[in-house]
PDB file of all heavy atoms in Angstrom:
ATOM      1  N   ASP A  26       0.824  -1.208   0.000  1.00 87.00           N
ATOM      2  CA  ASP A  26       0.000   0.000   0.000  1.00 87.00           C
ATOM      3  C   ASP A  26       0.860   1.261   0.000  1.00 87.00           C
ATOM      4  O   ASP A  26       0.522   2.253  -0.661  1.00 87.00           O
ATOM      5  CB  ASP A  26      -0.934   0.001   1.214  1.00 87.00           C
ATOM      6  CG  ASP A  26      -1.989  -1.088   1.126  1.00 87.00           C
ATOM      7  OD1 ASP A  26      -2.312  -1.504  -0.004  1.00 87.00           O
ATOM      8  OD2 ASP A  26      -2.480  -1.523   2.183  1.00 87.00           O
ATOM      9  N   LEU A  27       1.978   1.228   0.726  1.00 88.00           N
ATOM     10  CA  LEU A  27       2.873   2.390   0.729  1.00 88.00           C
ATOM     11  C   LEU A  27       3.482   2.620  -0.647  1.00 88.00           C
ATOM     12  O   LEU A  27       3.596   3.765  -1.107  1.00 88.00           O
ATOM     13  CB  LEU A  27       3.973   2.191   1.770  1.00 88.00           C
ATOM     14  CG  LEU A  27       3.575   2.396   3.229  1.00 88.00           C
ATOM     15  CD1 LEU A  27       4.743   2.043   4.154  1.00 88.00           C
ATOM     16  CD2 LEU A  27       3.142   3.843   3.468  1.00 88.00           C
ATOM     17  N   LEU A  28       3.870   1.545  -1.320  1.00 89.00           N
ATOM     18  CA  LEU A  28       4.395   1.695  -2.684  1.00 89.00           C
ATOM     19  C   LEU A  28       3.339   2.262  -3.617  1.00 89.00           C
ATOM     20  O   LEU A  28       3.636   3.116  -4.477  1.00 89.00           O
ATOM     21  CB  LEU A  28       4.885   0.339  -3.197  1.00 89.00           C
ATOM     22  CG  LEU A  28       6.113  -0.249  -2.493  1.00 89.00           C
ATOM     23  CD1 LEU A  28       6.432  -1.632  -3.058  1.00 89.00           C
ATOM     24  CD2 LEU A  28       7.310   0.679  -2.645  1.00 89.00           C
ATOM     25  N   TYR A  29       2.110   1.821  -3.445  1.00 87.00           N
ATOM     26  CA  TYR A  29       1.020   2.354  -4.270  1.00 87.00           C
ATOM     27  C   TYR A  29       0.790   3.836  -3.984  1.00 87.00           C
ATOM     28  O   TYR A  29       0.602   4.643  -4.907  1.00 87.00           O
ATOM     29  CB  TYR A  29      -0.257   1.557  -4.011  1.00 87.00           C
ATOM     30  CG  TYR A  29      -1.509   2.237  -4.504  1.00 87.00           C
ATOM     31  CD1 TYR A  29      -1.817   2.285  -5.865  1.00 87.00           C
ATOM     32  CD2 TYR A  29      -2.391   2.843  -3.601  1.00 87.00           C
ATOM     33  CE1 TYR A  29      -2.960   2.916  -6.317  1.00 87.00           C
ATOM     34  CE2 TYR A  29      -3.533   3.474  -4.041  1.00 87.00           C
ATOM     35  CZ  TYR A  29      -3.814   3.506  -5.405  1.00 87.00           C
ATOM     36  OH  TYR A  29      -4.941   4.147  -5.846  1.00 87.00           O
ATOM     37  N   LEU A  30       0.830   4.217  -2.715  1.00 87.00           N
ATOM     38  CA  LEU A  30       0.590   5.617  -2.356  1.00 87.00           C
ATOM     39  C   LEU A  30       1.740   6.513  -2.793  1.00 87.00           C
ATOM     40  O   LEU A  30       1.529   7.707  -3.068  1.00 87.00           O
ATOM     41  CB  LEU A  30       0.376   5.737  -0.850  1.00 87.00           C
ATOM     42  CG  LEU A  30      -0.914   5.106  -0.317  1.00 87.00           C
ATOM     43  CD1 LEU A  30      -0.959   5.174   1.201  1.00 87.00           C
ATOM     44  CD2 LEU A  30      -2.141   5.786  -0.911  1.00 87.00           C
ATOM     45  N   LEU A  31       2.948   5.971  -2.860  1.00 86.00           N
ATOM     46  CA  LEU A  31       4.069   6.775  -3.349  1.00 86.00           C
ATOM     47  C   LEU A  31       3.906   7.105  -4.826  1.00 86.00           C
ATOM     48  O   LEU A  31       4.369   8.165  -5.290  1.00 86.00           O
ATOM     49  CB  LEU A  31       5.389   6.029  -3.124  1.00 86.00           C
ATOM     50  CG  LEU A  31       5.848   5.913  -1.663  1.00 86.00           C
ATOM     51  CD1 LEU A  31       7.120   5.082  -1.565  1.00 86.00           C
ATOM     52  CD2 LEU A  31       6.068   7.302  -1.069  1.00 86.00           C
ATOM     53  N   ARG A  32       3.246   6.223  -5.560  1.00 86.00           N
ATOM     54  CA  ARG A  32       2.977   6.493  -6.983  1.00 86.00           C
ATOM     55  C   ARG A  32       1.730   7.341  -7.170  1.00 86.00           C
ATOM     56  O   ARG A  32       1.629   8.086  -8.146  1.00 86.00           O
ATOM     57  CB  ARG A  32       2.830   5.174  -7.744  1.00 86.00           C
ATOM     58  CG  ARG A  32       4.095   4.339  -7.789  1.00 86.00           C
ATOM     59  CD  ARG A  32       3.983   3.246  -8.838  1.00 86.00           C
ATOM     60  NE  ARG A  32       2.802   2.416  -8.619  1.00 86.00           N
ATOM     61  CZ  ARG A  32       2.804   1.287  -7.933  1.00 86.00           C
ATOM     62  NH1 ARG A  32       3.933   0.855  -7.368  1.00 86.00           N
ATOM     63  NH2 ARG A  32       1.707   0.580  -7.797  1.00 86.00           N
ATOM     64  N   SER A  33       0.775   7.210  -6.238  1.00 82.00           N
ATOM     65  CA  SER A  33      -0.480   7.973  -6.328  1.00 82.00           C
ATOM     66  C   SER A  33      -0.620   8.818  -5.075  1.00 82.00           C
ATOM     67  O   SER A  33      -1.320   8.447  -4.119  1.00 82.00           O
ATOM     68  CB  SER A  33      -1.674   7.025  -6.496  1.00 82.00           C
ATOM     69  OG  SER A  33      -1.497   6.162  -7.604  1.00 82.00           O
ATOM     70  N   ARG A  34       0.085   9.933  -5.043  1.00 80.00           N
ATOM     71  CA  ARG A  34       0.136  10.739  -3.830  1.00 80.00           C
ATOM     72  C   ARG A  34      -1.202  11.384  -3.499  1.00 80.00           C
ATOM     73  O   ARG A  34      -1.444  11.766  -2.352  1.00 80.00           O
ATOM     74  CB  ARG A  34       1.209  11.815  -3.977  1.00 80.00           C
ATOM     75  CG  ARG A  34       2.611  11.237  -4.163  1.00 80.00           C
ATOM     76  CD  ARG A  34       3.649  12.329  -4.274  1.00 80.00           C
ATOM     77  NE  ARG A  34       4.987  11.761  -4.453  1.00 80.00           N
ATOM     78  CZ  ARG A  34       6.085  12.485  -4.591  1.00 80.00           C
ATOM     79  NH1 ARG A  34       6.019  13.819  -4.567  1.00 80.00           N
ATOM     80  NH2 ARG A  34       7.253  11.899  -4.759  1.00 80.00           N
ATOM     81  N   GLU A  35      -2.087  11.524  -4.470  1.00 81.00           N
ATOM     82  CA  GLU A  35      -3.384  12.145  -4.184  1.00 81.00           C
ATOM     83  C   GLU A  35      -4.297  11.232  -3.380  1.00 81.00           C
ATOM     84  O   GLU A  35      -5.339  11.668  -2.876  1.00 81.00           O
ATOM     85  CB  GLU A  35      -4.071  12.534  -5.490  1.00 81.00           C
ATOM     86  CG  GLU A  35      -4.520  11.366  -6.375  1.00 81.00           C
ATOM     87  CD  GLU A  35      -3.403  10.825  -7.252  1.00 81.00           C
ATOM     88  OE1 GLU A  35      -2.268  11.321  -7.106  1.00 81.00           O
ATOM     89  OE2 GLU A  35      -3.661   9.916  -8.060  1.00 81.00           O
ATOM     90  N   HIS A  36      -3.935   9.963  -3.235  1.00 82.00           N
ATOM     91  CA  HIS A  36      -4.760   9.015  -2.497  1.00 82.00           C
ATOM     92  C   HIS A  36      -4.314   8.838  -1.045  1.00 82.00           C
ATOM     93  O   HIS A  36      -4.843   7.958  -0.352  1.00 82.00           O
ATOM     94  CB  HIS A  36      -4.751   7.652  -3.199  1.00 82.00           C
ATOM     95  CG  HIS A  36      -5.420   7.678  -4.542  1.00 82.00           C
ATOM     96  ND1 HIS A  36      -5.152   6.747  -5.522  1.00 82.00           N
ATOM     97  CD2 HIS A  36      -6.340   8.532  -5.073  1.00 82.00           C
ATOM     98  CE1 HIS A  36      -5.880   7.018  -6.603  1.00 82.00           C
ATOM     99  NE2 HIS A  36      -6.598   8.096  -6.346  1.00 82.00           N
ATOM    100  N   TRP A  37      -3.372   9.622  -0.594  1.00 87.00           N
ATOM    101  CA  TRP A  37      -2.924   9.492   0.802  1.00 87.00           C
ATOM    102  C   TRP A  37      -4.065   9.842   1.752  1.00 87.00           C
ATOM    103  O   TRP A  37      -4.693  10.895   1.610  1.00 87.00           O
ATOM    104  CB  TRP A  37      -1.743  10.422   1.062  1.00 87.00           C
ATOM    105  CG  TRP A  37      -0.419   9.825   0.697  1.00 87.00           C
ATOM    106  CD1 TRP A  37       0.179   9.866  -0.525  1.00 87.00           C
ATOM    107  CD2 TRP A  37       0.451   9.091   1.559  1.00 87.00           C
ATOM    108  NE1 TRP A  37       1.381   9.207  -0.495  1.00 87.00           N
ATOM    109  CE2 TRP A  37       1.580   8.719   0.782  1.00 87.00           C
ATOM    110  CE3 TRP A  37       0.396   8.720   2.897  1.00 87.00           C
ATOM    111  CZ2 TRP A  37       2.632   7.988   1.296  1.00 87.00           C
ATOM    112  CZ3 TRP A  37       1.448   7.989   3.424  1.00 87.00           C
ATOM    113  CH2 TRP A  37       2.554   7.629   2.632  1.00 87.00           C
ATOM    114  N   PRO A  38      -4.336   9.002   2.751  1.00 86.00           N
ATOM    115  CA  PRO A  38      -5.412   9.307   3.721  1.00 86.00           C
ATOM    116  C   PRO A  38      -4.931  10.288   4.794  1.00 86.00           C
ATOM    117  O   PRO A  38      -4.793   9.947   5.972  1.00 86.00           O
ATOM    118  CB  PRO A  38      -5.740   7.927   4.308  1.00 86.00           C
ATOM    119  CG  PRO A  38      -4.452   7.175   4.216  1.00 86.00           C
ATOM    120  CD  PRO A  38      -3.748   7.668   2.983  1.00 86.00           C
ATOM    121  N   LEU A  39      -4.696  11.528   4.392  1.00 87.00           N
ATOM    122  CA  LEU A  39      -4.115  12.510   5.307  1.00 87.00           C
ATOM    123  C   LEU A  39      -5.083  12.871   6.436  1.00 87.00           C
ATOM    124  O   LEU A  39      -4.664  13.088   7.575  1.00 87.00           O
ATOM    125  CB  LEU A  39      -3.707  13.765   4.529  1.00 87.00           C
ATOM    126  CG  LEU A  39      -2.618  13.547   3.455  1.00 87.00           C
ATOM    127  CD1 LEU A  39      -2.319  14.855   2.735  1.00 87.00           C
ATOM    128  CD2 LEU A  39      -1.353  12.990   4.092  1.00 87.00           C
ATOM    129  N   LEU A  40      -6.371  12.985   6.116  1.00 90.00           N
ATOM    130  CA  LEU A  40      -7.334  13.329   7.157  1.00 90.00           C
ATOM    131  C   LEU A  40      -7.404  12.237   8.227  1.00 90.00           C
ATOM    132  O   LEU A  40      -7.461  12.529   9.430  1.00 90.00           O
ATOM    133  CB  LEU A  40      -8.715  13.560   6.542  1.00 90.00           C
ATOM    134  CG  LEU A  40      -8.869  14.801   5.660  1.00 90.00           C
ATOM    135  CD1 LEU A  40     -10.268  14.875   5.084  1.00 90.00           C
ATOM    136  CD2 LEU A  40      -8.554  16.062   6.459  1.00 90.00           C
ATOM    137  N   GLU A  41      -7.393  10.976   7.805  1.00 88.00           N
ATOM    138  CA  GLU A  41      -7.417   9.874   8.765  1.00 88.00           C
ATOM    139  C   GLU A  41      -6.145   9.852   9.607  1.00 88.00           C
ATOM    140  O   GLU A  41      -6.197   9.606  10.821  1.00 88.00           O
ATOM    141  CB  GLU A  41      -7.589   8.535   8.039  1.00 88.00           C
ATOM    142  CG  GLU A  41      -8.961   8.332   7.414  1.00 88.00           C
ATOM    143  CD  GLU A  41      -9.063   8.959   6.032  1.00 88.00           C
ATOM    144  OE1 GLU A  41      -8.134   9.693   5.656  1.00 88.00           O
ATOM    145  OE2 GLU A  41     -10.078   8.729   5.353  1.00 88.00           O
ATOM    146  N   MET A  42      -4.999  10.128   8.983  1.00 90.00           N
ATOM    147  CA  MET A  42      -3.746  10.170   9.737  1.00 90.00           C
ATOM    148  C   MET A  42      -3.768  11.288  10.769  1.00 90.00           C
ATOM    149  O   MET A  42      -3.348  11.109  11.915  1.00 90.00           O
ATOM    150  CB  MET A  42      -2.567  10.352   8.780  1.00 90.00           C
ATOM    151  CG  MET A  42      -2.277   9.172   7.886  1.00 90.00           C
ATOM    152  SD  MET A  42      -0.874   9.478   6.813  1.00 90.00           S
ATOM    153  CE  MET A  42      -0.866   7.974   5.836  1.00 90.00           C
ATOM    154  N   SER A  43      -4.250  12.450  10.357  1.00 92.00           N
ATOM    155  CA  SER A  43      -4.307  13.588  11.274  1.00 92.00           C
ATOM    156  C   SER A  43      -5.240  13.297  12.451  1.00 92.00           C
ATOM    157  O   SER A  43      -4.910  13.594  13.606  1.00 92.00           O
ATOM    158  CB  SER A  43      -4.772  14.843  10.530  1.00 92.00           C
ATOM    159  OG  SER A  43      -4.921  15.927  11.410  1.00 92.00           O
ATOM    160  N   ALA A  44      -6.398  12.708  12.169  1.00 92.00           N
ATOM    161  CA  ALA A  44      -7.348  12.393  13.242  1.00 92.00           C
ATOM    162  C   ALA A  44      -6.768  11.359  14.204  1.00 92.00           C
ATOM    163  O   ALA A  44      -6.892  11.496  15.429  1.00 92.00           O
ATOM    164  CB  ALA A  44      -8.657  11.888  12.642  1.00 92.00           C
ATOM    165  N   ASN A  45      -6.114  10.336  13.668  1.00 92.00           N
ATOM    166  CA  ASN A  45      -5.515   9.322  14.536  1.00 92.00           C
ATOM    167  C   ASN A  45      -4.340   9.883  15.329  1.00 92.00           C
ATOM    168  O   ASN A  45      -4.141   9.519  16.490  1.00 92.00           O
ATOM    169  CB  ASN A  45      -5.053   8.122  13.697  1.00 92.00           C
ATOM    170  CG  ASN A  45      -6.186   7.189  13.321  1.00 92.00           C
ATOM    171  OD1 ASN A  45      -6.599   6.346  14.100  1.00 92.00           O
ATOM    172  ND2 ASN A  45      -6.707   7.354  12.121  1.00 92.00           N
ATOM    173  N   PHE A  46      -3.556  10.775  14.720  1.00 93.00           N
ATOM    174  CA  PHE A  46      -2.439  11.392  15.433  1.00 93.00           C
ATOM    175  C   PHE A  46      -2.948  12.205  16.622  1.00 93.00           C
ATOM    176  O   PHE A  46      -2.346  12.194  17.709  1.00 93.00           O
ATOM    177  CB  PHE A  46      -1.647  12.285  14.475  1.00 93.00           C
ATOM    178  CG  PHE A  46      -0.387  12.846  15.072  1.00 93.00           C
ATOM    179  CD1 PHE A  46       0.803  12.144  14.996  1.00 93.00           C
ATOM    180  CD2 PHE A  46      -0.383  14.068  15.708  1.00 93.00           C
ATOM    181  CE1 PHE A  46       1.971  12.650  15.558  1.00 93.00           C
ATOM    182  CE2 PHE A  46       0.761  14.593  16.271  1.00 93.00           C
ATOM    183  CZ  PHE A  46       1.948  13.878  16.190  1.00 93.00           C
ATOM    184  N   TYR A  47      -4.054  12.892  16.427  1.00 93.00           N
ATOM    185  CA  TYR A  47      -4.620  13.678  17.520  1.00 93.00           C
ATOM    186  C   TYR A  47      -5.124  12.769  18.643  1.00 93.00           C
ATOM    187  O   TYR A  47      -4.908  13.042  19.831  1.00 93.00           O
ATOM    188  CB  TYR A  47      -5.768  14.536  16.988  1.00 93.00           C
ATOM    189  CG  TYR A  47      -6.520  15.292  18.061  1.00 93.00           C
ATOM    190  CD1 TYR A  47      -5.970  16.416  18.661  1.00 93.00           C
ATOM    191  CD2 TYR A  47      -7.776  14.871  18.481  1.00 93.00           C
ATOM    192  CE1 TYR A  47      -6.645  17.107  19.652  1.00 93.00           C
ATOM    193  CE2 TYR A  47      -8.465  15.552  19.471  1.00 93.00           C
ATOM    194  CZ  TYR A  47      -7.895  16.669  20.048  1.00 93.00           C
ATOM    195  OH  TYR A  47      -8.568  17.341  21.036  1.00 93.00           O
ATOM    196  N   LYS A  48      -5.763  11.651  18.273  1.00 91.00           N
ATOM    197  CA  LYS A  48      -6.328  10.757  19.284  1.00 91.00           C
ATOM    198  C   LYS A  48      -5.252  10.013  20.057  1.00 91.00           C
ATOM    199  O   LYS A  48      -5.354   9.879  21.282  1.00 91.00           O
ATOM    200  CB  LYS A  48      -7.297   9.767  18.622  1.00 91.00           C
ATOM    201  CG  LYS A  48      -8.603  10.399  18.174  1.00 91.00           C
ATOM    202  CD  LYS A  48      -9.606   9.347  17.739  1.00 91.00           C
ATOM    203  CE  LYS A  48      -9.166   8.643  16.473  1.00 91.00           C
ATOM    204  NZ  LYS A  48     -10.218   7.716  15.976  1.00 91.00           N
ATOM    205  N   VAL A  49      -4.231   9.521  19.360  1.00 91.00           N
ATOM    206  CA  VAL A  49      -3.218   8.706  20.044  1.00 91.00           C
ATOM    207  C   VAL A  49      -2.090   9.551  20.599  1.00 91.00           C
ATOM    208  O   VAL A  49      -1.351   9.095  21.492  1.00 91.00           O
ATOM    209  CB  VAL A  49      -2.635   7.638  19.087  1.00 91.00           C
ATOM    210  CG1 VAL A  49      -3.732   6.756  18.544  1.00 91.00           C
ATOM    211  CG2 VAL A  49      -1.847   8.278  17.953  1.00 91.00           C
ATOM    212  N   GLY A  50      -1.917  10.781  20.109  1.00 90.00           N
ATOM    213  CA  GLY A  50      -0.819  11.611  20.563  1.00 90.00           C
ATOM    214  C   GLY A  50      -1.231  12.718  21.510  1.00 90.00           C
ATOM    215  O   GLY A  50      -0.881  12.719  22.698  1.00 90.00           O
ATOM    216  N   VAL A  51      -2.010  13.653  21.011  1.00 91.00           N
ATOM    217  CA  VAL A  51      -2.367  14.830  21.811  1.00 91.00           C
ATOM    218  C   VAL A  51      -3.213  14.430  23.010  1.00 91.00           C
ATOM    219  O   VAL A  51      -2.987  14.884  24.138  1.00 91.00           O
ATOM    220  CB  VAL A  51      -3.098  15.863  20.932  1.00 91.00           C
ATOM    221  CG1 VAL A  51      -3.524  17.067  21.755  1.00 91.00           C
ATOM    222  CG2 VAL A  51      -2.203  16.304  19.776  1.00 91.00           C
ATOM    223  N   LYS A  52      -4.207  13.565  22.799  1.00 92.00           N
ATOM    224  CA  LYS A  52      -5.090  13.182  23.900  1.00 92.00           C
ATOM    225  C   LYS A  52      -4.398  12.320  24.950  1.00 92.00           C
ATOM    226  O   LYS A  52      -4.908  12.191  26.065  1.00 92.00           O
ATOM    227  CB  LYS A  52      -6.311  12.439  23.355  1.00 92.00           C
ATOM    228  CG  LYS A  52      -7.322  13.351  22.680  1.00 92.00           C
ATOM    229  CD  LYS A  52      -8.616  12.603  22.416  1.00 92.00           C
ATOM    230  CE  LYS A  52      -9.703  13.557  21.934  1.00 92.00           C
ATOM    231  NZ  LYS A  52     -10.991  12.859  21.735  1.00 92.00           N
ATOM    232  N   ALA A  53      -3.261  11.733  24.607  1.00 91.00           N
ATOM    233  CA  ALA A  53      -2.535  10.906  25.574  1.00 91.00           C
ATOM    234  C   ALA A  53      -1.547  11.706  26.403  1.00 91.00           C
ATOM    235  O   ALA A  53      -0.940  11.150  27.337  1.00 91.00           O
ATOM    236  CB  ALA A  53      -1.802   9.784  24.844  1.00 91.00           C
ATOM    237  N   MET A  54      -1.373  12.975  26.108  1.00 92.00           N
ATOM    238  CA  MET A  54      -0.379  13.774  26.829  1.00 92.00           C
ATOM    239  C   MET A  54      -0.711  13.968  28.308  1.00 92.00           C
ATOM    240  O   MET A  54       0.186  13.864  29.158  1.00 92.00           O
ATOM    241  CB  MET A  54      -0.195  15.126  26.137  1.00 92.00           C
ATOM    242  CG  MET A  54       0.473  15.036  24.781  1.00 92.00           C
ATOM    243  SD  MET A  54       0.643  16.645  23.962  1.00 92.00           S
ATOM    244  CE  MET A  54       1.760  17.477  25.095  1.00 92.00           C
ATOM    245  N   PRO A  55      -1.956  14.257  28.692  1.00 93.00           N
ATOM    246  CA  PRO A  55      -2.222  14.453  30.130  1.00 93.00           C
ATOM    247  C   PRO A  55      -1.909  13.234  30.986  1.00 93.00           C
ATOM    248  O   PRO A  55      -1.229  13.347  32.016  1.00 93.00           O
ATOM    249  CB  PRO A  55      -3.719  14.806  30.160  1.00 93.00           C
ATOM    250  CG  PRO A  55      -4.012  15.349  28.807  1.00 93.00           C
ATOM    251  CD  PRO A  55      -3.142  14.573  27.879  1.00 93.00           C
ATOM    252  N   VAL A  56      -2.389  12.066  30.597  1.00 93.00           N
ATOM    253  CA  VAL A  56      -2.151  10.876  31.412  1.00 93.00           C
ATOM    254  C   VAL A  56      -0.674  10.493  31.389  1.00 93.00           C
ATOM    255  O   VAL A  56      -0.118  10.040  32.403  1.00 93.00           O
ATOM    256  CB  VAL A  56      -3.039   9.705  30.922  1.00 93.00           C
ATOM    257  CG1 VAL A  56      -2.665   9.286  29.511  1.00 93.00           C
ATOM    258  CG2 VAL A  56      -2.932   8.525  31.875  1.00 93.00           C
ATOM    259  N   THR A  57       0.002  10.717  30.259  1.00 93.00           N
ATOM    260  CA  THR A  57       1.437  10.440  30.192  1.00 93.00           C
ATOM    261  C   THR A  57       2.215  11.356  31.125  1.00 93.00           C
ATOM    262  O   THR A  57       3.145  10.924  31.820  1.00 93.00           O
ATOM    263  CB  THR A  57       1.932  10.601  28.752  1.00 93.00           C
ATOM    264  OG1 THR A  57       1.168   9.753  27.884  1.00 93.00           O
ATOM    265  CG2 THR A  57       3.396  10.237  28.635  1.00 93.00           C
ATOM    266  N   ALA A  58       1.838  12.636  31.156  1.00 93.00           N
ATOM    267  CA  ALA A  58       2.517  13.588  32.032  1.00 93.00           C
ATOM    268  C   ALA A  58       2.282  13.238  33.502  1.00 93.00           C
ATOM    269  O   ALA A  58       3.217  13.285  34.320  1.00 93.00           O
ATOM    270  CB  ALA A  58       2.035  15.005  31.732  1.00 93.00           C
ATOM    271  N   LEU A  59       1.062  12.876  33.849  1.00 94.00           N
ATOM    272  CA  LEU A  59       0.752  12.552  35.243  1.00 94.00           C
ATOM    273  C   LEU A  59       1.544  11.342  35.715  1.00 94.00           C
ATOM    274  O   LEU A  59       2.202  11.378  36.767  1.00 94.00           O
ATOM    275  CB  LEU A  59      -0.746  12.299  35.387  1.00 94.00           C
ATOM    276  CG  LEU A  59      -1.223  11.842  36.776  1.00 94.00           C
ATOM    277  CD1 LEU A  59      -0.923  12.903  37.821  1.00 94.00           C
ATOM    278  CD2 LEU A  59      -2.703  11.493  36.735  1.00 94.00           C
ATOM    279  N   VAL A  60       1.499  10.256  34.936  1.00 93.00           N
ATOM    280  CA  VAL A  60       2.215   9.042  35.333  1.00 93.00           C
ATOM    281  C   VAL A  60       3.713   9.276  35.317  1.00 93.00           C
ATOM    282  O   VAL A  60       4.439   8.830  36.222  1.00 93.00           O
ATOM    283  CB  VAL A  60       1.820   7.881  34.403  1.00 93.00           C
ATOM    284  CG1 VAL A  60       2.633   6.634  34.733  1.00 93.00           C
ATOM    285  CG2 VAL A  60       0.335   7.582  34.519  1.00 93.00           C
ATOM    286  N   GLY A  61       4.213   9.987  34.300  1.00 92.00           N
ATOM    287  CA  GLY A  61       5.647  10.258  34.235  1.00 92.00           C
ATOM    288  C   GLY A  61       6.134  11.073  35.415  1.00 92.00           C
ATOM    289  O   GLY A  61       7.189  10.782  36.002  1.00 92.00           O
ATOM    290  N   PHE A  62       5.391  12.099  35.795  1.00 93.00           N
ATOM    291  CA  PHE A  62       5.789  12.929  36.938  1.00 93.00           C
ATOM    292  C   PHE A  62       5.846  12.104  38.220  1.00 93.00           C
ATOM    293  O   PHE A  62       6.800  12.202  39.000  1.00 93.00           O
ATOM    294  CB  PHE A  62       4.814  14.092  37.092  1.00 93.00           C
ATOM    295  CG  PHE A  62       5.138  15.019  38.218  1.00 93.00           C
ATOM    296  CD1 PHE A  62       6.075  16.031  38.049  1.00 93.00           C
ATOM    297  CD2 PHE A  62       4.524  14.889  39.456  1.00 93.00           C
ATOM    298  CE1 PHE A  62       6.392  16.888  39.088  1.00 93.00           C
ATOM    299  CE2 PHE A  62       4.824  15.738  40.502  1.00 93.00           C
ATOM    300  CZ  PHE A  62       5.768  16.743  40.320  1.00 93.00           C
ATOM    301  N   LEU A  63       4.846  11.271  38.443  1.00 93.00           N
ATOM    302  CA  LEU A  63       4.823  10.453  39.654  1.00 93.00           C
ATOM    303  C   LEU A  63       5.949   9.421  39.655  1.00 93.00           C
ATOM    304  O   LEU A  63       6.563   9.165  40.698  1.00 93.00           O
ATOM    305  CB  LEU A  63       3.466   9.760  39.787  1.00 93.00           C
ATOM    306  CG  LEU A  63       2.264  10.691  39.981  1.00 93.00           C
ATOM    307  CD1 LEU A  63       0.968   9.893  40.021  1.00 93.00           C
ATOM    308  CD2 LEU A  63       2.421  11.516  41.247  1.00 93.00           C
ATOM    309  N   ILE A  64       6.238   8.826  38.500  1.00 92.00           N
ATOM    310  CA  ILE A  64       7.337   7.862  38.431  1.00 92.00           C
ATOM    311  C   ILE A  64       8.663   8.557  38.711  1.00 92.00           C
ATOM    312  O   ILE A  64       9.535   8.020  39.411  1.00 92.00           O
ATOM    313  CB  ILE A  64       7.348   7.183  37.049  1.00 92.00           C
ATOM    314  CG1 ILE A  64       6.139   6.253  36.912  1.00 92.00           C
ATOM    315  CG2 ILE A  64       8.648   6.405  36.844  1.00 92.00           C
ATOM    316  CD1 ILE A  64       6.138   5.088  37.857  1.00 92.00           C
ATOM    317  N   GLY A  65       8.841   9.767  38.170  1.00 91.00           N
ATOM    318  CA  GLY A  65      10.076  10.507  38.447  1.00 91.00           C
ATOM    319  C   GLY A  65      10.230  10.825  39.919  1.00 91.00           C
ATOM    320  O   GLY A  65      11.328  10.706  40.488  1.00 91.00           O
ATOM    321  N   VAL A  66       9.141  11.214  40.562  1.00 91.00           N
ATOM    322  CA  VAL A  66       9.194  11.516  41.996  1.00 91.00           C
ATOM    323  C   VAL A  66       9.542  10.263  42.801  1.00 91.00           C
ATOM    324  O   VAL A  66      10.383  10.295  43.714  1.00 91.00           O
ATOM    325  CB  VAL A  66       7.850  12.113  42.459  1.00 91.00           C
ATOM    326  CG1 VAL A  66       7.803  12.213  43.980  1.00 91.00           C
ATOM    327  CG2 VAL A  66       7.635  13.490  41.835  1.00 91.00           C
ATOM    328  N   VAL A  67       8.916   9.156  42.466  1.00 91.00           N
ATOM    329  CA  VAL A  67       9.166   7.907  43.206  1.00 91.00           C
ATOM    330  C   VAL A  67      10.606   7.445  43.012  1.00 91.00           C
ATOM    331  O   VAL A  67      11.296   7.056  43.975  1.00 91.00           O
ATOM    332  CB  VAL A  67       8.175   6.824  42.761  1.00 91.00           C
ATOM    333  CG1 VAL A  67       8.546   5.473  43.348  1.00 91.00           C
ATOM    334  CG2 VAL A  67       6.763   7.200  43.170  1.00 91.00           C
TER     335      VAL A  67
END
């Protein structure tokens, strides 16, 4: 699929990538910061 998308760049699912990046990245920052801070303190 990546080889196909490299030849047909207009078919890249950019909106889906952006939405998933926001869900798995930005929304995970609060819980990651909380657990990381507590682990550092311990």
Side-chain angles (χ1 to χ4, degrees):
D26 292 335
L27 284 175
L28 293 177
Y29 164 75
L30 292 175
L31 289 177
R32 295 195 305 266
S33 305
R34 298 181 180 179
E35 68 277 4
H36 294 158
W37 274 88
L39 298 179
L40 291 178
E41 290 85 350
M42 291 180 184
S43 176
N45 281 278
F46 186 88
Y47 174 75
K48 288 189 293 186
V49 302
V51 178
K52 285 191 172 183
M54 291 179 64
V56 64
T57 304
L59 176 62
V60 176
F62 181 83
L63 296 177
I64 290 295
V66 170
V67 171

